[in-house]
Amino acid sequence: MKLAILTPTLTKPYPQYLDALEASVSVLDGAGIEHKAGFKVGCPYISHARAEMLRMAMDAGCDTFLFIDHDLSWRPQDILAVISRDDPVTAGTYRFKKDEAEYMATIHTNADFTPRVRADGCIKADKVPAGFLKLTLDAVRQFMRAYPELIYGDPERYSVDLFNHGAHKGVWWGEDYAFSRRWGECGGDIWLV
């Protein structure tokens, strides 16, 4: 695995992000995972920033991409928990920025409304935030084949707008839920750690 940790930010990542990233380096090194971090600073369009970082990571030969928002913090083992799954798309979730403990994501449930949980504890998700989201190169390629209208740039090294947002069938979709919707529509599953 060659991991790229990709973070868009308007100015710079928050101190808690930088502390968590620094603490994660030794854990990734200890697991023998080659890793790089990429930042896109100052771009007001998050979908464009993520597409540009993804292209740079692909050019660097990475095969696993972890998008992390600049205002998050995490435990170093959380990165391993998300990237170590064989699934093409895996996510971690986090709380909304409010006092009540409410987490972002919608999940699949069984007939009795209990979450669909695998033996490894992962929950099948329908829509997830993109702030702690892992994709493999195979997932990117599958997405590009399914949505050629979202491909742009140099034909020798296309970029893809994975997080293209906007109106769809009378509803406004943010970039992360729009990705989730499209990924599901092209046959992909999302697993939430």
Side-chain angles (χ1 to χ4, degrees):
M1 173 187 302
K2 191 170 181 184
L3 173 68
I5 299 170
L6 305 173
T7 303
T9 182
L10 287 176
T11 55
K12 63 182 179 180
Y14 286 29
Q16 68 266 22
Y17 170 98
L18 295 171
D19 292 344
L21 183 62
E22 182 178 1
S24 299
V25 168
S26 60
V27 172
L28 291 168
D29 288 344
I33 297 170
E34 186 177 344
H35 54 90
K36 299 177 181 293
F39 299 89
K40 184 72 174 175
V41 180
C43 180
Y45 306 109
I46 194 166
S47 61
H48 183 252
R50 287 184 178 140
E52 293 293 305
M53 289 185 298
L54 176 63
R55 178 72 262 164
M56 289 186 287
M58 290 168 59
D59 288 346
C62 295
D63 59 14
T64 306
F65 314 98
L66 181 62
F67 293 94
I68 303 180
D69 283 353
H70 73 143
D71 59 349
L72 295 184
S73 64
W74 61 91
R75 299 169 305 175
Q77 62 268 29
D78 295 339
I79 285 183
L80 288 180
V82 170
I83 66 170
S84 66
R85 303 296 193 263
D86 289 333
D87 307 292
V89 177
T90 309
T93 190
Y94 40 89
R95 288 175 59 172
F96 284 100
K97 294 179 180 94
K98 59 183 187 176
D99 291 337
E100 300 83 26
E102 184 180 350
Y103 290 83
M104 298 180 190
T106 62
I107 61 172
H108 288 270
T109 58
N110 299 309
D112 64 356
F113 300 104
T114 58
R116 291 187 190 172
V117 181
R118 287 193 314 209
D120 66 358
C122 288
I123 300 168
K124 188 169 185 183
D126 184 49
K127 294 173 191 65
V128 294
F132 209 82
L133 179 67
K134 178 209 85 171
L135 286 85
T136 63
L137 183 57
D138 288 339
V140 173
R141 289 175 175 155
Q142 180 177 335
F143 192 96
M144 290 173 84
R145 284 190 301 272
Y147 303 102
E149 70 276 13
L150 297 178
I151 295 172
Y152 68 96
D154 182 350
E156 300 299 317
R157 42 188 288 280
Y158 280 122
S159 294
V160 60
D161 188 4
L162 293 172
F163 301 99
N164 182 270
H165 61 281
H168 177 74
K169 296 184 179 179
V171 175
W172 175 265
W173 291 76
E175 82 284 347
D176 39 15
Y177 278 24
F179 165 79
S180 297
R181 185 193 76 239
R182 287 187 182 99
W183 180 246
E185 289 172 352
C186 75
D189 289 330
I190 301 172
W191 291 95
L192 183 61
V193 176

